[in-house]
Amino acid sequence: MNQLRLLPSRLGAQAARLLAAHEVPVFGWRSRSSGPLATFPSSKGGGSSSYMEEMYFAWLENPRSVHKIRGHHVAQLDPLGILDADLDSFVPSDLITTIDKLAFYDLQEADLDKEFQLPMTTFIGGSENTLSLREIIRRLENTYCQHIGLEFMFINDVEQCQWIRQKFETPGVMQFSSEEKRTLLARLVRSMRGRLNVLANVIRKDLEQIFCQFDPKLEAADEGSGDVKYHLGMYHERINRVTNRNITLSLVANPSHLEAVDPVVQGKTKAEQFYRGDVQGKKVMSILVHGDAAFAGQGVVYETFHLSDLPSYTTNGTVHVVVNNQIGFTTDPRMARSSPYPTDVARVVNAPIFHVNADDPEAVIYVCSVAAEWRNTFNKDVVVDLVCYRRRGHNEMDEPMFTQPLMYKQIHRQVPVLKKYADKLIAEGTVTLQEFEEEIAKYDRICEEAYGRSKDKKILHIKHWLDSPWPGFFNVDGEPKSMTCPATGIPEDVLTHIGSVASSVPLEDFKIHTGLSRILRGRADMTKNRTVDWALAEYMAFGSLLKEGIHVRLSGQDVERGTFSHRHHVLHDQEVDRRTCVPMNHLWPDQAPYTVCNSSLSEYGVLGFELGYAMASPNALVLWEAQFGDFHNTAQCIIDQFISTGQAKWVRHNGIVLLLPHGMEGMGPEHSSARPERFLQMSNDDSDAYPAFTKDFEVSQLYDCNWIVVNCSTPANYFHVLRRQILLPFRKPLIIFTPKSLLRHPEAKSSFDQMVSGTSFQRVIPEDGAAARAPEQVQRLIFCTGKVYYDLVKERSSQGLEEKVAITRLEQISPFPFDLIKQEAEKYPGAELAWCQEEHKNMGYYDYISPRFMTILRRTRPIWYVGRDPAAAPATGNRNTHLVSLKKFLDTAFNLQAFEGKTF
């Protein structure tokens, strides 16, 4: 029979309920005036039972405290004292200890002074084993209901919950030394400059360079648009005065599109960890600073959180700092979110959330130190919610009193946090008023001197704000070391070796699917016959770069197998669960590593992640593949704000590759078009400028462009453009419209002869048949790009027009190959010129290529359009409609009288 100590019967079950709510065990209470504690047989031992005994066991099996779970509801988090901590405005009645409440539990005020033995699961006692009920409640309220509000009891790991409790419940944990307080005051003096605080005081950007950004007269030394000072990034090495060790800080440049930078930071962090062999995230970490309205409102926050624990995306924990101004521009929180807190999204990954009143600097410092320690201990995300206020408007000219009059009346009355904390330290004798005033004067002098020096500057250098420098890649002045690109072909023995590995299973006793065995046999046959299809050409490009020490990373939805079941870079054992093999990592003993990883079902977050990954080093080929090219539009923000404009705004080179499956094949409006017109519209080459054809014209064009857009029609050219991306002496984003049906098209194969040493990427593939041998006989020269070439060749053959119609392919669409187009047009002086595309007229390439044809031909010859009529949807979902429209434009392409009598 188990003997348990119990409360005196006068207090009864109500007291048990009250104590259980505060997580005080029902045993071990001893009154100074009472006699020996009563005992009773345990019901679990089969003896008699009582209601009180049942209450005890109910509590014992569910030991949750109302303070731990709901104390944050009544915590004093708002510095203004006018808003509730959350939007529920709910105060749990269990947290209010009043005389009336005591009576409800059949208790008297005197009972609050009776002592209880503390359980092993709580830390509020410190070195004490017993406390009075009054002291228990006071300590719990001090821990959970003051300037810190904790949300962590939703975490399903007991060890993690206990770790947090120990950090906050232990008495005296928030005591600071006088020196620490003085340092904190000095940091507050420096940080009161406002929205550039992170640049000035965390990253330690030179103040004079910051002040230069405010001078409208300075001339920009760098090409491009530049950006407002609040969006610029920074890279800086500084000494950590606590550890006396160097620390590298990178503030990533970001657009006004709130939270868009989140996955970019995570990708860059992952890459930095990868290159340092930092598997556990002990050398590199990320800190994300958010706004309250954006943290709750922007879906990319959720996407980024869901990358946090995926093997190929985890950064081993991020510290999220939410600057909670309790307002979004002019929008009240009650109109901006449905959740009680702006931070509730973090619950999806079991991240603890620490709310803190930002007018209590010591509480802020302590919470941030615990957050950092949490991340270092558990390698998981953590959120610090700085509940504060915005002293002025959204920008320098904004008037917040229009929309939040009562809030801003209170803000105008509010004593600034610097003065509050200084008064506190002066009152307790930590600093004197004179010392405080001298600290302010000292920093004022620093700022004034830096401002004076900034007046001497004549030129504004945006490159001084680069967030990801690549030491040694460019010259000292930031220019490429050369303006040439070597041939991209490789020795045939390397091609043969890669083909051999690609058609094998390097691991012993590894059983693959029978269908995959057939695919591998096909690769072996192609290698033996010195040919490649699309998948094998990609294998050759990746494998050869790995041999040269270039890390390759391919990411996206279903990329391991490939959306169209063509890639199969990860083999799965059919008899052993989760046993896999990546043959690409078995090519050479000293090769660079290859990473291929299926992503979460996200475009916005994952593309941002891969962009950040590509920022870290120029010596890696980083690719993101859309499941279908159509789906990139959910990542349009990353494309528009980072990829297309990143170099112009932030002088940031980036070599990310986008693989976008594209082609009109009757698969419907959502599985056909990668929207090439959008990428071409954002290309920065001038359609009206007649170029000067210099010796290095091809490379110079690439250097001057904002990105490269290609639609390869052969596996060999796909192979070359991937290798060229790394061999160029600079980095530009590469957009590749990749095929679907061509993956298995019998004509879409290339010979080793087109890939061996001495061969290169062909920007234009000219006609090489009968028409090319007698160009004066050609009546029509059709230009096209991509898959439609094979439809045109088939139709030309069926009509027997090989000698009268020439077909030339544009493989690189932007920057536009003016020089080669000029050569082709001049080769066929008597031919009509036509542009044929399978996309609708208001889509695809025609609006881009037409004015450029006019420029290079000096408007002497028109370029006629052949293709589908304008439409709202990019493709039809009806197979018959697709075939009818295909036949219609193919008929037009080879009707040699189609353009007679028409005016251009």
Side-chain angles (χ1 to χ4, degrees), residues 423-441:
D423 290 346
K424 175 180 180 291
L425 298 192
I426 291 170
E428 67 184 33
T430 302
V431 298
T432 65
L433 177 59
Q434 180 180 350
E435 289 173 326
F436 172 54
E437 291 175 343
E438 287 175 351
E439 189 66 39
I440 292 178

Side-chain angles (χ1 to χ4, degrees), residues 234-282:
M234 177 59 187
Y235 181 92
H236 183 60
E237 289 188 7
R238 53 167 287 196
I239 293 288
N240 183 327
R241 299 297 179 187
V242 177
T243 62
N244 204 33
R245 296 173 61 184
N246 274 328
I247 183 170
T248 300
L249 301 171
S250 179
L251 178 67
V252 176
N254 61 98
S256 282
H257 295 65
L258 299 175
E259 307 294 340
V261 77
D262 296 354
V264 180
V265 170
Q266 300 300 73
K268 178 172 165 54
T269 303
K270 181 67 175 181
E272 298 286 1
Q273 291 175 347
F274 174 84
Y275 295 126
R276 288 170 172 78
D278 185 16
V279 178
Q280 297 182 332
K282 300 300 183 184

Side-chain angles (χ1 to χ4, degrees), residues 72 96 98 102 153 226 261 326 383 426 452 500 555 602 725 823 829 877:
H72 56 86
I96 305 173
T98 64
L102 291 173
M153 287 303 290
V261 77
Q326 308 181 81
V383 176
I426 291 170
S500 175
S555 164
S602 155
Q725 186 70 356
Q823 290 177 19

Side-chain angles (χ1 to χ4, degrees), residues 549-620:
I550 301 299
H551 168 47
V552 178
R553 176 182 169 95
L554 171 62
S555 164
Q557 297 158 23
D558 311 298
V559 297
E560 296 178 3
R561 191 202 73 174
T563 300
F564 310 102
S565 196
H566 67 289
R567 183 172 286 126
H568 295 287
H569 283 189
V570 178
L571 311 181
H572 293 259
D573 194 308
Q574 298 295 297
E575 295 181 347
V576 182
D577 185 36
R578 290 186 290 185
R579 188 186 183 208
T580 60
C581 173
V582 181
M584 193 84 75
N585 280 320
H586 295 265
L587 288 167
W588 289 278
D590 56 350
Q591 69 173 74
Y594 173 56
T595 300
V596 56
C597 46
N598 291 340
S599 74
S600 62
L601 201 64
S602 155
E603 289 82 28
Y604 190 169
V606 174
L607 178 55
F609 187 98
E610 301 308 330
L611 176 80
Y613 199 101
M615 283 169 53
S617 171
N619 299 314

Side-chain angles (χ1 to χ4, degrees), residues 22-25 59 63 65 68 116-131 136 139-140 143-144 162 165-166 168-171:
H22 291 89
E23 202 183 41
V24 178
W59 171 83
S65 162
K68 286 189 304 178
F116 296 84
Q117 182 176 327
L118 300 174
M120 298 296 293
T121 54
T122 189
F123 301 92
I124 61 172
S127 59
E128 300 174 87
N129 295 323
T130 63
L131 291 174
I136 288 171
R139 294 192 183 188
L140 287 171
T143 298
Y144 295 107
Q162 287 298 98
R165 292 183 62 190
Q166 182 178 19
F168 289 97
E169 289 183 356
T170 303

Side-chain angles (χ1 to χ4, degrees), residues 93-296:
S93 59
D94 314 57
L95 293 173
I96 305 173
T97 304
T98 64
I99 298 298
D100 292 341
K101 192 66 175 292
L102 291 173
F104 174 78
Y105 287 108
D106 195 21
L107 290 172
Q108 299 173 7
E109 187 170 3
D111 295 323
L112 293 174
D113 296 318
K114 299 202 169 88
E115 292 194 354
F116 296 84
Q117 182 176 327
L118 300 174
M120 298 296 293
T121 54
T122 189
F123 301 92
I124 61 172
S127 59
E128 300 174 87
N129 295 323
T130 63
L131 291 174
S132 68
L133 179 56
R134 187 186 306 275
E135 181 63 13
I136 288 171
I137 294 173
R138 187 189 71 80
R139 294 192 183 188
L140 287 171
E141 289 178 344
N142 282 343
T143 298
Y144 295 107
C145 305
Q146 298 301 312
H147 286 171
I148 298 174
L150 305 176
E151 288 188 274
F152 66 97
M153 287 303 290
F154 53 81
I155 298 175
N156 52 17
D157 187 300
V158 175
E159 177 192 358
Q160 293 175 7
C161 290
Q162 287 298 98
W163 187 93
I164 293 172
R165 292 183 62 190
Q166 182 178 19
K167 293 297 177 184
F168 289 97
E169 289 183 356
T170 303
V173 289
M174 280 183 55
Q175 292 179 353
F176 291 83
S177 68
S178 294
E179 187 58 34
E180 288 172 330
K181 292 179 180 180
R182 292 169 69 93
T183 300
L184 177 52
L185 181 65
R187 295 293 179 265
L188 276 176
V189 168
R190 291 174 175 249
S191 65
M192 288 297 285
R193 294 178 64 246
R195 63 197 294 188
L196 294 173
N197 175 45
V198 173
L199 276 171
N201 294 311
V202 178
I203 308 296
R204 299 294 173 87
K205 177 70 175 174
D206 288 342
L207 292 177
E208 62 189 85
Q209 291 187 17
I210 294 178
F211 290 135
C212 282
Q213 288 289 324
F214 289 87
D215 189 342
K217 300 176 184 177
L218 287 183
E219 176 186 351
D222 308 286
E223 294 183 2
S225 63
D227 203 348
V228 297
K229 60 191 75 67
Y230 313 112
H231 293 171
L232 298 177
M234 177 59 187
Y235 181 92
H236 183 60
E237 289 188 7
R238 53 167 287 196
I239 293 288
N240 183 327
R241 299 297 179 187
V242 177
T243 62
N244 204 33
R245 296 173 61 184
N246 274 328
I247 183 170
T248 300
L249 301 171
S250 179
L251 178 67
V252 176
N254 61 98
S256 282
H257 295 65
L258 299 175
E259 307 294 340
V261 77
D262 296 354
V264 180
V265 170
Q266 300 300 73
K268 178 172 165 54
T269 303
K270 181 67 175 181
E272 298 286 1
Q273 291 175 347
F274 174 84
Y275 295 126
R276 288 170 172 78
D278 185 16
V279 178
Q280 297 182 332
K282 300 300 183 184
K283 299 177 182 178
V284 183
M285 67 171 290
S286 58
I287 300 174
L288 287 175
V289 182
H290 312 267
D292 55 318
F295 198 65

